[in-house]
Amino acid sequence: MENYAEAAEAASLLGLAVERLRAVPFGTVVTVGEGEPHARLVQHLAVEEDGTVWVGASPRSRKVADVRRDPRVAYAVEDRDAFGYVTAQADAEIVDDPRERARRWEEGLAAFFPAGPHGDDFVLLRLVPYRVEVMDFARGVHPDPYGLVPAVIERTADGRWARRPAQRD
C-alpha cells in the first residue's frame, strides 16, 4: 500500500496535468490504425478532474475508425510558457449519447459539424487516461539535474493514481 506522501505526490501531479490540459486547448491525439500510428491536431472540449479528455469527431473520421479497431490512444499537449508538456496514454470510447453530445457542444464546432450536436456527423471521443507523463520546468517537475525524464503517474487497479518511476528507454 502506498503511503500518504506518495498518494499526495500522485494527486499533485494529476492536478498539474489537468491544469496544463485545461490551459492548452489544442493537442495531438495519436491512434493506431492498420499497424501505423496516426497523429492529428485536435481541440479538446473538456478535461475532467481525473484527467479524462473529451474530443469531438465525425463518426466517419479516421480517428473514430482507428478507435473502433484499437481503443488505445495517446494525447499530448505542449505548454511553451511552462516549458513543459503532458502526455496521457488512454483508453478511448466513442460516445454517441445525444445528451452528452449536447452537453459538450461548443458553438465553434458548427463550422465542422453544421448539423450541430444532434446531427448524424458528430460524436465524442472520451479519452480515459491510465498513464500520464508530466514535464514542467517552470515548476521544477523534472528530475535533477534536468535529466529530461518526465514525472509519471499510473492508474491502479482500484482507480487511484500512483507515482511511477520514469525510465529512459
Side-chain angles (χ1 to χ4, degrees):
M1 180 172 197
E2 70 179 338
N3 65 36
Y4 179 77
E6 290 170 343
E9 183 180 14
S12 176
L13 287 171
L14 177 62
L16 178 59
V18 168
E19 179 184 323
R20 287 284 171 255
L21 287 165
R22 287 177 175 165
V24 182
F26 295 96
T28 302
V29 66
V30 180
T31 58
V32 179
E34 300 175 7
E36 297 286 330
H38 295 153
R40 76 277 290 154
L41 181 66
V42 298
Q43 178 179 358
H44 55 259
L45 303 174
V47 179
E48 296 178 1
E49 291 298 319
D50 71 347
T52 295
V53 175
W54 291 85
V55 175
S58 168
R60 292 177 284 284
S61 68
R62 184 177 60 178
K63 68 180 149 285
V64 169
D66 288 352
V67 167
R68 281 192 180 106
R69 278 190 295 272
D70 188 337
R72 296 171 302 157
V73 303
Y75 187 68
V77 300
E78 175 194 21
D79 186 338
R80 288 187 181 198
D81 292 337
F83 193 57
Y85 68 87
V86 173
T87 299
Q89 291 173 294
D91 292 315
E93 172 189 1
I94 301 164
V95 178
D96 196 18
D97 177 68
R99 287 174 290 165
E100 194 66 49
R101 292 183 340 192
R103 186 165 89 96
R104 304 287 177 188
W105 181 258
E106 294 180 2
E107 287 309 313
L109 295 171
F112 305 100
F113 308 102
H118 300 293
D120 67 353
D121 195 38
F122 179 69
V123 295
L124 297 165
L125 293 179
R126 180 176 180 248
L127 313 180
V128 180
Y130 55 84
R131 185 174 193 277
V132 176
E133 296 180 1
V134 179
M135 179 88 70
D136 187 325
F137 283 88
R139 292 202 183 161
V141 178
H142 56 77
D144 288 326
Y146 297 103
L148 297 180
V149 178
V152 176
I153 55 174
E154 290 182 349
R155 198 181 297 262
T156 62
D158 63 3
R160 295 178 301 119
W161 287 97
R163 182 83 155 83
R164 297 291 185 247
Q167 299 177 352
R168 290 183 192 263
D169 292 330

